[in-house]
Amino acid sequence: NYHVVLAAQYKGGPIEIEALRYDITCIEIPFDFYYFNFYKISGFSISKFKAHLKFKAIKNNYLTIVKQVKPDFIFSYCYEPNVIASYFSNDYKNCKVIWNQRDTGIPPFTKCKIEQIAINNAFKIVGNSASSLNYVLQYYNESKKSSIIANGIQINLNTINKKTKKTFNFEDTDIVIGVVANYAPKKNHSTLIKSYALLNNKNIKLFFIGRFSESDKLVCQQNLINQSITFHYENENISNAIHICDIIVHPSLSEGMPNAILEAMAFEVPLIASDIEPHIEVLGKDYPLFFSSTNEVELAETINKILNNNEFAQTCVLNNKAIVTKSYTMDGLAQKYLNIINSK
């Protein structure tokens, strides 16, 4: 009985793709924090007056969009949409905004006036992990309206088209190590690249699944000799790319609740992960395939641990599948969001 709208930072991203699949409206909130956060401007060439005009334009554009779609709830994703949707929620009083915290401070909170008002206005604050929610609570005492709703995924191996390694220009004999992440410093592709150079196995190939610019690709390739990386970007269905991997590595320095590791677990691919708190939250502190996030030697050793002991690797796979099937389903996620909606 409620009209729910998603708010994302840009159109055409994975949030909108998934929303369209279920006939859910997704609005775009393009955002220039330089102008928006005019309360903190000092020492810049732009005047406060011009910033204020820009701020008013952002407000008018946003409220025009909201009045067109007439939502009862807005579920905002990522920092900028969270701030804008929550800050202006009192200007569209029939709508409640759910602040979704998806990471642990990228970009970091500033406690500026706009951010404070936005947090105060949000109907509920949801973290997709204990780590991401605790990040908010470090800055704002809003525990009474906060909750954890972990990410969920559809777990259906029958949806995979069973593409082969050759579909992605690998040989059947190649050992494909995949990373599912758009290029960004916090995703820490560099540590895996360094470990790749240490692995004495010509059959090992790196497979980077995500959005990379041409300059990003050059950065990744620059220190490799007689080795190469295959890049692949697919917005709608990455399960086929994950399926052909022999190992998935998730080397991030910072996360909220990464779908990439849930997908590897669900699709029964051996998973190596950095030992950051959100990964520990999912896999448990005794998971045997953690590595120190900036230690390429340790990562190379962990890769070899899988390659040299298939029985051990399959035990990890089965344990991971049991975890994701029990705790990270889409049905479980949906029910928790419905509980929030019905509490209006």
Side-chain angles (χ1 to χ4, degrees), residues 272-312:
I272 297 172
S274 55
D275 60 352
I276 60 174
E277 192 59 38
H279 293 166
I280 294 171
E281 192 174 329
V282 176
L283 295 160
K285 61 183 177 61
D286 296 323
Y287 186 62
L289 295 175
F290 283 136
F291 71 97
S292 300
S293 57
T294 57
N295 190 328
E296 65 269 18
V297 175
E298 192 175 326
L299 175 53
E301 291 171 350
T302 308
I303 291 170
N304 281 324
K305 189 187 297 186
I306 290 178
L307 297 180
N308 296 332
N309 191 336
N310 185 63
E311 184 177 351
F312 164 72

Side-chain angles (χ1 to χ4, degrees), residues 4 18 26 30 34 71 92 119 157 173 232 242-243 280 324 327:
V4 176
E18 196 68 16
C26 185
Y34 175 73
Y92 191 70
I119 287 282
L157 295 180
T173 54
H232 175 71
I242 293 173
H243 169 72
I280 294 171
V324 78
S327 302

Side-chain angles (χ1 to χ4, degrees), residues 5-7 27 62 66 71-76 85 95-98:
V5 168
L6 304 185
I27 61 174
Y62 171 72
V66 171
D72 296 298
F73 287 91
I74 293 177
F75 286 52
S76 52
C95 177
K96 304 292 187 185
V97 175
I98 314 298

Side-chain angles (χ1 to χ4, degrees), residues 8 11 48-49 66 100 120 155 167 181 190 198 208 211 213 219 231-232 235 253 271 275 279-280 299 322 326 333:
K11 295 183 73 66
K48 258 192 174 183
F49 176 70
V66 171
N100 277 271
N120 183 67
I155 304 169
T167 306
S190 60
L198 299 175
F208 284 0
R211 187 185 292 109
S213 69
V219 169
F231 297 90
H232 175 71
N235 218 359
L253 302 173
L271 170 68
D275 60 352
H279 293 166
I280 294 171
L299 175 53
K326 178 181 178 181
L333 176 149

Side-chain angles (χ1 to χ4, degrees), residues 196 202 204-205 223-228:
Y196 182 33
K202 66 180 181 180
I204 292 177
K205 310 294 181 184
N223 294 320
L224 293 178
I225 302 173
N226 298 324
Q227 294 169 305
S228 63

